[in-house]
Structures are given as C-alpha cells and as structure tokens.
Amino acid sequence: MSNKVRKEKKTGRKIVALIFVFISVFCSVFFAAKGKFSATATDGVAMAIVSPFQRAFSWAGNKLAFVKNSVAEISHLHEQNKQLREEVELLRAQNLTASEYASENQRLRNLLGYKQAVVQFDLVAASVIGRESASWSSVIIINRGTLDGVANNMAVVTEMGLVGHVMEAGLNSSKVQLLLDPRSSVGTLIQRPESRVAGIVEGDIKNPNFPKMVNIPKDSDVLVEDMVVTSGFGGVYPKGLVVGKIIEIHNEEGGLLKYGVIDTSVDFQKLEDVAIIVASREAPPEPIQPPVQTPGTETDPYETAEKLQAAQQQIQDAQQQVQEAQQQQLQEAGYVAEEATR
C-alpha cells in the first residue's frame, strides 16, 4: 500500500472523528438543554465540552447585541440631530421675522405718535418700495398714489422731520423728490428766536448727503448747531417742519453771502416708512408788509411794495438760474458717466 493511500485513509478517519465529535457535542448540548441527562458524570463531561463553546457564543452574542444597539442608537441620534437642526433653522427664521415685525411695529408706532401730535395735518402713511437707480440718493418710490388722496407737490415727512415732496403721483405709487436732490428748493428759517434768519435749503451735488442753506447775508445771526425749519413760503411745505441743524458755515465766493451745511434730521439711508401731508389746516405765513412810516421819512407804500416784489422776483429768477445750471451739470455728469461705462 502506498503512502498516498495511507494519507487518504488517515484523512478520512480524522474527518469521521471530527463529525462524530461534532454530533456528540451537539447532542450533549441539545439533551442537556432539554434535561435528558441526569447523571452527574455525564453533566460534568457535557459542561466541560460545551463550556468553551457557550462562552464563545455568549461573547459573540454580546458583541452582536452591542453592535446592534450601537447602530440603532447612532441612527436615532442622527435622526434626532436632523430634527434639532430643522427646529433651529425654523426658530432662527421665526426670530428674524419677529425682529422685522417688531422693527416695523416700532416705526409705525412712531408715525402714529407723530400723526396724533400734529393735529393740523392729515397724514397718509406709506412705505418706501424703491429708489431710482439714476438718482439713488435723491428720488424714492412709495406705495401710495392718487387713489389714496396723494397729489403732486404734497410734502412728505417722518416723525423726525422733512423728507421731500411728491414730484409724480401715480394711481398706486408715487415718486418723491428728497430734500437731498440738487433740484429741490425749500424755504427755511433758523428756529432760534433771536435769529429767525431766512434762507433756501437745496441739495449739494458735491456733497450729496448734506444739503446746504444758501442766500444767507454774511452778517446774519446764524450759528453752528442752529436748527433749521421750513418757513412755509412757496405753498408746498407747511411752516415749522424740522429740516436739520447747521454743522458748518462758509462764505460764498462773492463775499456778500454765506451758506450753512446741514445735517438732516432724517436718516435718508435708512428710510423705510414715511407720511404724506394730504391736507393742512395750518394758517399760511403772513405776506411781507411794507415798513412802518416814520415822520419826515415817508415813502410811497406802493413804490415800496413794488420794490419788495421786484426784489423777490430777482431772488426767484436767481434761484431758477441756479436750478437750471445745476440740472445742466447733472445731465452733463450723467452723460459723462454713460460714456465712461461704454
């Protein structure tokens, strides 16, 4: 008999022996679990044989249970984390909305308080819905029009002061020319009782955020920190609306006049809600009267009145010329900007 045949027989015997041992172990475990063996020696042998396998099975079962529980817990934590993230995003959005509502509510309460304080005006509240791109700092669009009683040349205000006037009223929206516009012209007074100097506030093309009060005589009583209010002349702006305060005073080139730079009471960069004065029960300012005659220096009152009217006409003509020159400068600046962009 060859070695190869002997090796095959030995291998076959080993396989049979392993199968016998496996069957014996299986039967011992099965019957031990069922309580079939009662002999102490048999139980001891079975336990000795089964014990390593039981420990291995128990260890593997514990590890599988641990892995299963860990996977389930990780999955639960992942789902819980996802839900918490969604709740955080929702709460953040709600918080932003609540803050926006609170801010809007505060602005509307301020306008309502102003409306209750100025009983001589009928106001229509409006929201700023746009700005003209060609004149970003000088023209805004509001969501009120002729259907709401708004018309051209109506004054626009906030609780802080004057904003401008309606330059073009549509059905449901209107364009408002701001106080900052170089084309605007507002008759004003120094509010200080000792002064009451009159002048004209207009936008400055060189300094768009700070208009200036012009046509002030050089020797007039105007000081830095003086408050400027509307004079009421012209029929567009009622008297007494706050414009701002003087922060700088400069002499004009001719030397006979000076002008004051104004820090406006309204923050035009944060303008969101305004009010339109659709009606005013305030009495218009008194017309200019000729001076009182003194004995020995009598003058013809009609001649004096004509001189006053002629002087006013000269002032109006000068203002018109200044506005036309400024408008031409704006058009030239827009043309240059358009050429530069091409």
Side-chain angles (χ1 to χ4, degrees):
M1 187 178 293
S2 63
N3 293 331
K4 183 177 181 180
V5 175
R6 289 177 182 177
K7 289 182 179 179
E8 290 179 354
K9 285 185 177 182
K10 289 181 179 180
T11 303
R13 290 174 184 176
K14 290 180 180 180
I15 293 173
V16 172
L18 288 174
I19 293 173
F20 176 75
V21 171
F22 178 76
I23 293 173
S24 299
V25 170
F26 177 78
C27 291
S28 299
V29 173
F30 180 77
F31 289 111
K34 294 292 184 177
K36 297 300 180 179
F37 289 107
S38 58
T40 306
T42 305
D43 289 345
V45 172
M47 290 298 296
I49 296 173
V50 172
S51 179
F53 295 97
Q54 284 183 336
R55 286 197 295 268
F57 292 153
S58 177
W59 180 84
N62 291 334
K63 293 299 181 183
L64 289 174
F66 175 76
V67 171
K68 180 181 178 182
N69 293 334
S70 298
V71 171
E73 186 175 357
I74 291 173
S75 177
H76 176 70
L77 289 175
H78 177 73
E79 187 66 25
Q80 188 177 18
N81 187 37
K82 182 180 178 181
Q83 293 178 357
L84 291 175
R85 286 178 181 274
E86 292 176 352
E87 289 181 5
V88 167
E89 293 297 329
L90 179 61
L91 291 174
R92 185 176 297 171
Q94 290 177 350
N95 186 37
L96 290 175
T97 303
S99 299
E100 184 64 22
Y101 283 151
S103 178
E104 181 181 8
N105 182 51
Q106 184 62 42
R107 295 195 306 269
L108 294 178
R109 284 172 66 89
N110 292 337
L111 276 179
L112 178 61
Y114 178 74
K115 182 177 181 179
Q116 294 174 346
V118 288
V119 294
Q120 71 273 26
F121 299 145
D122 291 337
L123 302 179
V124 172
S127 297
V128 178
I129 60 175
R131 293 177 182 261
E132 282 196 348
S133 58
S135 53
W136 176 258
S137 63
S138 58
V139 177
I140 61 173
I141 302 173
I142 59 176
N143 64 343
R144 292 289 183 268
T146 55
L147 295 179
D148 305 291
V150 178
N152 291 346
N153 295 325
M154 285 184 173
V156 181
V157 297
T158 69
E159 73 279 3
M160 301 302 298
L162 180 64
V163 172
H165 73 278
V166 177
M167 61 182 296
E168 184 179 337
L171 290 176
N172 298 307
S173 62
S174 302
K175 291 182 179 181
V176 177
Q177 186 181 57
L178 301 182
L179 182 66
L180 303 177
D181 196 320
R183 299 167 295 181
S184 69
S185 179
V186 183
T188 56
L189 292 170
I190 298 298
Q191 191 179 41
R192 184 160 47 89
E194 299 83 4
S195 174
R196 307 302 288 179
V197 174
I200 298 172
V201 171
E202 57 186 24
D204 187 357
I205 191 172
K206 297 179 181 179
N207 195 3
N209 295 323
F210 295 91
K212 57 184 180 180
M213 183 176 179
V214 299
N215 292 349
I216 304 174
K218 187 176 181 179
D219 57 350
S220 297
D221 182 15
V222 178
L223 304 173
V224 173
E225 298 295 328
D226 275 344
M227 293 301 299
V228 180
V229 297
T230 55
S231 62
F233 293 105
V236 176
Y237 304 100
K239 185 178 181 179
L241 300 176
V242 178
V243 175
K245 66 179 179 180
I246 303 289
I247 57 174
E248 296 178 9
I249 299 176
H250 302 281
N251 292 324
E252 295 280 6
E253 294 181 358
L256 299 178
L257 299 174
K258 60 184 177 181
Y259 68 90
V261 180
I262 297 178
D263 183 13
T264 57
S265 298
V266 175
D267 188 350
F268 290 96
Q269 298 299 323
K270 299 180 180 179
L271 198 59
E272 296 184 67
D273 298 287
V274 298
I276 305 100
I277 301 178
V278 296
S280 174
R281 289 173 290 278
E282 188 178 45
E286 296 181 358
I288 300 176
Q289 299 293 336
V292 179
Q293 303 291 324
T294 56
T297 61
E298 290 86 355
T299 58
D300 187 358
Y302 295 102
E303 182 181 356
T304 303
E306 289 177 357
K307 290 182 179 180
L308 289 173
Q309 290 179 357
Q312 290 179 349
Q313 185 62 40
Q314 290 178 357
I315 293 175
Q316 292 178 358
D317 292 341
Q319 294 174 0
Q320 183 67 25
Q321 292 177 0
V322 170
Q323 289 179 1
E324 290 177 355
Q326 290 176 345
Q327 188 170 4
Q328 185 177 0
Q329 290 177 355
L330 286 173
Q331 291 176 353
E332 292 177 353
Y335 176 77
V336 171
E338 184 178 357
E339 289 296 328
T341 56
R342 288 182 176 177

